[in-house]
Amino acid sequence: MTPFLTQLEQVRAASRRLNLLDEATVNGVLTAVAAAMEAQAEFLLAANDRDLSLMGKENPLYDRLQLTRERIAGIAEDMRRVAGLPSPLGRLLSETVRPNGMIIRKVSVPFGVIGVIYEARPNVAFDVFSLCFKSGNACVLKGGKDARYSNEAIVELIHRVLSDRGIDPHAVLLLPPEREAVQPLLTAVGYVDLIIPRGNQGLIDYVRQNAKVPVIETGAGVCHTFFDAAGDLEKGRAIVFNAKTRRVSVCNALDCLIVHQSRLADLPELCRPLAGKRVILYADEPAYAALLGRYPAKVLCPADEHSFGREFLDYKMAIKTVASLDEALEHIARYSSRHSESIVSEDAEACRRFTREVDAACVYTNVSTAFTDGGQFGFGAEIGISTQKLHARGPMALPELTSYKYIITGEGQVRQP
């Protein structure tokens, strides 16, 4: 057995022992980790500073990578919320009694061992741990090299709390940040039950194409907002600005504004707040003409065929002009990653059609796509946004980290030949 498989065997053994913990113990551990995060903020920030020193501030991933005292406090609060949620384990999903008296119960159970591959977002390590631990799963973390020191410090902190509480620290394993560590994880059949990639489309495609372990795709978000002919300008201006600029490096950030041609005269006002953030606009010909002279020339560019279907993760946004709702729906169907899509409209029928016809995990009416987040949905935290349709879709939280099994009881029933 290779050293890597020996490590995974230890993780698997630890996952079985997690099933023996009662809910009070689990919640106590999560609360203790949250307290340790705040008490040892300097330790975490010092490690994060080492990572930040190796990345230029102009890199759009810098914001994802950065930890602050406020962000640590927010992560700790999210962990406390997870601790306060009902356990997803042991839920009776269904019960039937067969004619012979046999009782069949369908009950929620952990997956076992979950591997998560992610990039420069150290908060993911805390979120994954809290959700996996609460749902009875051990976790294998594979972070990117940009967050090497942050992830090492985070897992060291978690291990200390687990050990202090008499719980096997092998319930959390951090793999080396080098890419070479990915392939053995993807092929660890019998040791890892599920892989969840969180990152750009290239990472997700690689995992899907090379994994032998089951995969749930998450992360990549090419998000659109359609400003309809009946859109309210004040609402639209606020929604577009928030969806684009709140945090440009996250998957729910706006990438393409679709505008009805009858509202082109309102486009400069719709985009006006973006100028203050120096958002680069890649506008198609009608939109470019409407913005010319009314949006800063240095950050106004003509769109080309590469402007659409892009997840910018930066202060950049495409603009597409359409003549109808049908054309907007066609554009979204062609370029969407099926993550989050929004319509701004006061036309109830247009909103109804949009929500029915758009194929995405989260579809909004007069709301910013920035709300696609487990915490905002009341889930405490999330392990990712699933853009597929099997098992889980949208923000994945505690219920999505469980499977189920059938428990059958009887009084000596046997099946006849």
Side-chain angles (χ1 to χ4, degrees):
M1 183 179 289
T2 66
F4 177 66
L5 291 182
T6 298
Q7 284 183 306
L8 290 186
E9 184 60 44
Q10 293 171 326
V11 175
R12 193 147 195 88
S15 76
R16 292 192 293 270
R17 288 190 281 273
L18 291 181
N19 282 314
L20 303 177
L21 300 179
D22 58 46
E23 190 172 358
T25 299
V26 169
N27 294 341
V29 168
L30 294 178
T31 302
V33 172
M37 289 167 55
E38 294 173 325
Q40 300 178 44
E42 288 296 335
F43 169 67
L44 296 174
L45 292 173
N48 187 240
D49 284 343
R50 292 184 68 185
D51 290 323
L52 292 171
S53 69
L54 302 175
M55 179 182 287
K57 289 186 177 181
E58 72 284 353
N59 190 322
L61 295 181
Y62 190 92
D63 178 64
R64 279 190 175 193
L65 177 60
Q66 187 174 34
L67 289 175
T68 64
R69 287 188 176 276
E70 291 74 21
R71 289 184 179 181
I72 289 172
I75 298 166
E77 188 57 32
D78 284 344
M79 191 170 291
R80 293 186 180 99
R81 290 193 189 99
V82 171
L85 293 172
S87 172
L89 301 176
R91 292 179 297 132
L92 182 63
L93 303 176
S94 67
E95 178 177 301
T96 58
V97 180
R98 302 300 297 153
N100 65 357
M102 185 172 66
I103 302 171
I104 302 176
R105 296 183 177 92
K106 184 179 180 181
V107 178
S108 61
V109 297
F111 274 102
V113 177
I114 296 177
V116 181
I117 304 170
Y118 56 102
E119 296 172 323
R121 297 184 67 175
N123 65 292
V124 172
F126 280 123
D127 291 345
V128 169
F129 163 71
S130 66
L131 291 167
C132 283
F133 193 74
K134 179 78 175 187
S135 58
N137 296 289
C139 57
V140 180
L141 304 174
K142 168 60 183 77
K145 63 181 181 180
D146 290 331
R148 173 197 294 266
Y149 301 111
S150 302
N151 288 333
E152 288 175 354
I154 289 167
V155 172
E156 180 183 332
L157 183 151
I158 292 170
H159 281 172
R160 286 203 297 261
V161 173
L162 291 175
S163 297
D164 289 345
R165 299 256 166 168
I167 297 170
D168 189 348
H170 290 109
V172 183
L173 172 64
L174 177 65
L175 298 182
E178 287 74 25
R179 291 184 178 180
E180 291 74 17
V182 173
Q183 191 60 34
L185 178 62
L186 300 183
T187 57
V189 177
Y191 297 90
V192 177
D193 297 286
L194 177 67
I195 298 287
I196 302 174
R198 289 190 57 167
N200 61 40
Q201 193 62 52
L203 169 64
I204 293 169
D205 290 343
Y206 179 84
V207 170
R208 184 180 62 245
Q209 293 163 9
N210 291 275
K212 294 183 178 179
V213 175
V215 174
I216 294 180
E217 299 176 31
T218 75
V222 179
C223 303
H224 301 79
T225 292
F226 173 44
F227 188 69
D228 183 40
D232 180 277
L233 181 57
E234 185 176 350
K235 290 179 185 176
R237 185 174 56 232
I239 287 169
V240 170
F241 180 71
N242 179 256
K244 178 66 262 181
T245 68
R246 177 189 165 271
R247 290 190 69 182
V248 297
S249 62
V250 294
C251 59
N252 58 29
L254 179 60
D255 296 294
C256 181
L257 170 63
I258 306 172
V259 60
H260 194 281
Q261 64 182 15
S262 67
R263 303 302 300 274
L264 283 172
D266 292 315
L267 185 60
E269 180 60 24
L270 193 64
C271 296
R272 179 179 54 79
L274 301 175
K277 293 287 189 178
R278 306 295 292 173
V279 175
I280 299 173
L281 300 182
Y282 298 93
D284 68 3
E285 188 172 343
Y288 187 88
L291 290 166
L292 191 62
R294 303 186 65 186
Y295 193 82
K298 290 184 178 180
V299 286
L300 178 61
C301 306
D304 59 26
E305 65 271 19
H306 303 295
S307 301
F308 304 108
R310 288 182 61 184
E311 185 182 26
F312 287 106
L313 302 175
D314 201 349
Y315 287 94
K316 299 176 180 179
M317 186 180 78
I319 304 180
K320 170 67 175 177
T321 307
V322 297
S324 65
L325 172 60
D326 287 332
E327 193 176 340
L329 292 170
E330 289 171 6
H331 184 87
I332 291 171
R334 178 177 179 183
Y335 292 107
S336 173
S337 64
R338 296 174 173 82
H339 188 292
S340 300
E341 310 292 358
S342 181
I343 182 173
V344 178
S345 180
E346 300 302 305
D347 183 337
E349 177 59 20
C351 294
R352 186 192 68 82
R353 279 197 59 200
F354 190 89
T355 56
R356 284 175 64 93
E357 296 184 35
V358 168
D359 182 13
C362 300
V363 183
Y364 294 89
T365 297
N366 294 317
V367 180
S368 166
T369 58
F371 283 98
T372 301
D373 176 271
Q376 294 299 311
F377 279 28
F379 301 160
E382 70 182 38
I383 206 164
I385 309 294
S386 172
T387 54
Q388 65 183 44
K389 299 180 182 179
L390 292 178
H391 178 70
R393 198 176 196 196
M396 292 179 58
L398 293 174
E400 290 74 30
L401 296 184
T402 63
S403 182
Y404 56 82
K405 65 182 175 185
Y406 290 96
I407 299 175
I408 303 96
T409 58
E411 298 291 339
Q413 289 91 333
V414 296
R415 186 172 178 178
Q416 298 304 312

